[in-house]
Amino acid sequence: MRISLLSAWLFLSCLSLCQAQESSRNVQVVGQLSLEGGFLATVLDQDPNRPLAYTLDTLSVLHVVDLSDPAAPVVSSRVTASGGHDLTTFVAEGRVFVIIAGNRLTVVDVSQASQAVLLSEQLSPEPFSRVFAYKHSTGQRLLFGAGSSQALALDLSALVTGTVSVEASLSTPPHQGTLEGIGDLFAGFYPETQEDRLYLAAAGGYFVYDITNLEQPVLKTSVLSAAVQKGHAIAPTPDGAFALTLASYRTAPLRIFDLTGERVRTAVGAWMEDWQSELEDVRVRWPFAFVAGLESGLYVINIFDPAAPYTDAWFRPDPPSETAPLLRQRQGVVSVNIRNHDGLIVATDHTHGLWLLRLEAFGGWHGQNWGVPNVSEVQDWVNGPY
């Protein structure tokens, strides 16, 4: 009888969850993994031989998730850190590491998925809310961290050995607003100009730096929109010509800026599916952008014409709340990641855990297939940028 009741409960729970889901016809839910506690971020292992995801919850527990069967994801191992807000992953000498960042920097060796090992914890030079692992054109492996007042570049190789080595620091220009700090960052290499660039969403707007010479970063472009007191997220197109941006206030649209000038004030395009939405995260796989919109769910927009972006697909785990936008809790889809070699989409849901999704006719992404540089947050740790 207990087994029967349990089976019935699981069936009804699944039925209720499935009925709550809504999506466009070109989105397929292939799997879902519920985990206890709210979630902050997820990164995907991009190696085809390592079908893994690494997700961080609000209790600073790192979950290593096996996605070998996307229809039945399972947790392979867990490690508890002392505190963290974001995470990233990198590869060095055949080993795979996850960095959990916050007031401390925690290094976890996840080379063996079934036995993640906490290697070290050090105090961070300053609290990091966002981190980005990057292989510089010089070959150096760097951890860029967004802090309360500046962006720092740390040596990842040193961090693995338990040493914090600051290779560069970068402050954004002074501004007149009341908000401070850096909300997001992105680094990429651009073959046409042979430049390493760092993109910052920060107090005052959005900023693009040439960091080819780490010791002498050069400000290339400032985006100073009157509607943006503080930038929340930034994701450039693979050619670096445009930037998709989010602002740190509710009901703000996704704005697209042309980065060809030194000072930019007006967006060339904007997108918002629902004015009551709050947009949290954005990733670009040209000509698509994947947007995490908390309670409004996940959206895929077409940005082939940056001046006229439009919704191509969407997925919503739960029906939209009837609560007024300014009174809503920060629940729903908080981040999105894309596995480049096969196009698997993983949405991190603050309430339900991980959603594994497929987009019709999207079987993977490589920039050269679209005639653009192969630039995304995904790094080639063996060959470096190209």
Side-chain angles (χ1 to χ4, degrees), residues 167-252:
E167 302 297 299
S169 62
L170 193 150
S171 299
T172 55
H175 66 101
Q176 302 299 317
T178 58
L179 299 178
E180 300 291 339
I182 298 172
D184 191 24
L185 70 177
F186 180 102
F189 177 77
Y190 297 88
E192 184 175 348
T193 58
Q194 294 292 295
E195 289 178 345
D196 295 272
R197 296 180 191 169
L198 182 66
Y199 298 78
L200 300 179
Y206 311 93
F207 307 93
V208 185
Y209 291 84
D210 179 350
I211 57 165
T212 309
N213 182 352
L214 269 177
E215 296 180 356
Q216 296 180 332
V218 177
L219 179 61
K220 291 177 62 70
T221 304
S222 298
V223 179
L224 307 172
S225 171
V228 180
Q229 292 188 35
K230 183 178 180 181
H232 177 69
I234 185 167
T237 55
D239 58 2
F242 299 89
L244 281 69
T245 66
L246 305 179
S248 59
Y249 66 92
R250 292 176 184 263
T251 74

Side-chain angles (χ1 to χ4, degrees), residues 23-29 300 313-315 357-360:
S23 70
S24 56
R25 299 177 64 180
N26 55 348
V27 172
Q28 177 191 7
V29 177
V300 182
W314 58 274
F315 167 74
L357 310 170
R358 294 284 186 187
L359 176 64
E360 184 179 11

Side-chain angles (χ1 to χ4, degrees), residues 200-383:
L200 300 179
Y206 311 93
F207 307 93
V208 185
Y209 291 84
D210 179 350
I211 57 165
T212 309
N213 182 352
L214 269 177
E215 296 180 356
Q216 296 180 332
V218 177
L219 179 61
K220 291 177 62 70
T221 304
S222 298
V223 179
L224 307 172
S225 171
V228 180
Q229 292 188 35
K230 183 178 180 181
H232 177 69
I234 185 167
T237 55
D239 58 2
F242 299 89
L244 281 69
T245 66
L246 305 179
S248 59
Y249 66 92
R250 292 176 184 263
T251 74
L254 180 150
R255 296 178 175 89
I256 303 177
F257 292 96
D258 186 333
L259 300 178
T260 55
E262 291 185 6
R263 291 175 66 87
V264 179
R265 293 192 178 276
T266 305
V268 297
W271 172 90
M272 175 62 87
E273 183 68 22
D274 179 357
W275 73 270
Q276 299 182 92
S277 299
E278 182 176 3
L279 306 180
E280 180 69 14
D281 188 27
V282 57
R283 312 274 175 165
V284 172
R285 298 294 189 274
W286 180 267
F288 301 110
F290 298 78
V291 184
L294 296 179
E295 284 194 345
S296 62
L298 171 71
Y299 288 96
V300 182
I301 63 176
N302 189 303
I303 57 171
F304 189 81
D305 179 359
Y310 62 88
T311 301
D312 187 84
W314 58 274
F315 167 74
R316 186 180 298 120
D318 291 306
S321 172
E322 297 180 359
T323 306
L326 296 181
L327 299 177
R328 291 180 183 176
Q329 300 295 317
R330 292 180 57 80
Q331 298 180 352
V333 180
V334 295
S335 70
V336 58
N337 284 267
I338 302 93
R339 202 162 64 184
N340 281 3
H341 69 267
D342 67 350
L344 181 69
I345 303 165
V346 176
T348 306
D349 183 340
H350 190 80
T351 304
H352 298 300
L354 301 183
W355 294 97
L356 282 66
L357 310 170
R358 294 284 186 187
L359 176 64
E360 184 179 11
F362 183 74
W365 188 85
H366 193 291
Q368 293 178 359
N369 295 334
W370 291 94
V372 296
N374 192 46
V375 175
S376 67
E377 71 277 1
V378 178
Q379 305 295 304
D380 186 338
W381 295 107
V382 176
N383 301 306

Side-chain angles (χ1 to χ4, degrees), residues 71-82:
V74 295
V75 175
S76 295
S77 59
R78 294 181 176 91
V79 169
T80 300
S82 60

